[in-house]
Amino acid sequence: MTLGSEALGRVGSWWAKELGRWQGTWEAMTPDAGASPRWATQNRLEEVNDAVALRRFGEPQGEGLPVLIVTPQVNQSYIADFHARQSLVRTLLGQGAHEVGVTDWLPPPKRAYTIADSIDDIRACIARLGGRVHLVGPCQGGW
């Protein structure tokens, strides 16, 4: 079965329209080379230690447990709040979470650093959010 020229024309027209629709979004989402990472949502930054900081979004006072997003250490942490239209943080806040925290991994420390250290860092973030959280761990494959 082959596509006729009319069908190919419709596909091409649709594709051109989609590219135009997403062009401005793509440009807004693409950071400038060498620029600091941009977070889409206003947040507060707390230094935890030499390996991780905690980004806090929303209000610390509210009903229910806060949410902690533990981002992959191999990506920039702002992947959880990349753009106003592609933000796990905004989705969670919009669905009723009163506060969302995000691990903001720093460059590797100049000391031995193990998986156990990573777990301790996550526990330190949990403690700063009150000791109990809903834990979210997005995988890279899902982005």
Side-chain angles (χ1 to χ4, degrees):
M1 178 177 153
T2 60
L3 289 174
S5 60
E6 183 180 323
L8 285 173
R10 284 195 307 265
V11 169
S13 175
W14 172 84
W15 184 246
K17 208 180 302 181
E18 283 299 297
L19 285 175
R21 187 170 72 95
W22 283 98
Q23 184 63 38
T25 301
W26 177 253
E27 289 168 357
M29 293 183 340
T30 305
D32 300 327
S36 297
R38 294 179 284 177
W39 293 78
T41 308
Q42 185 176 5
N43 63 81
R44 301 170 308 283
L45 180 65
E46 292 181 14
E47 291 183 26
V48 176
N49 60 34
D50 64 339
V52 70
L54 176 64
R55 296 264 176 187
R56 296 179 82 151
F57 302 81
E59 297 300 323
Q61 307 300 322
E63 292 187 32
L65 296 175
V67 176
L68 176 61
I69 302 171
V70 179
T71 56
Q73 289 177 309
V74 297
N75 268 343
Q76 294 290 332
S77 297
Y78 70 94
I79 194 75
D81 189 48
F82 192 64
H83 186 271
R85 295 188 338 201
Q86 186 171 344
S87 171
L88 180 55
V89 169
R90 285 187 184 201
T91 298
L92 291 166
L93 291 171
Q95 293 299 311
H98 64 88
E99 183 176 25
V100 175
V102 177
T103 55
D104 193 356
W105 299 105
L106 304 174
K110 296 180 191 248
R111 60 179 168 85
Y113 190 79
T114 66
I115 298 272
D117 294 318
S118 294
I119 293 169
D120 288 343
D121 291 343
I122 293 166
R123 286 182 174 152
C125 291
I126 291 169
R128 287 181 178 248
L129 290 168
R132 293 184 62 216
V133 298
H134 293 292
L135 194 62
V136 176
C139 74
Q140 286 184 266
W143 294 99

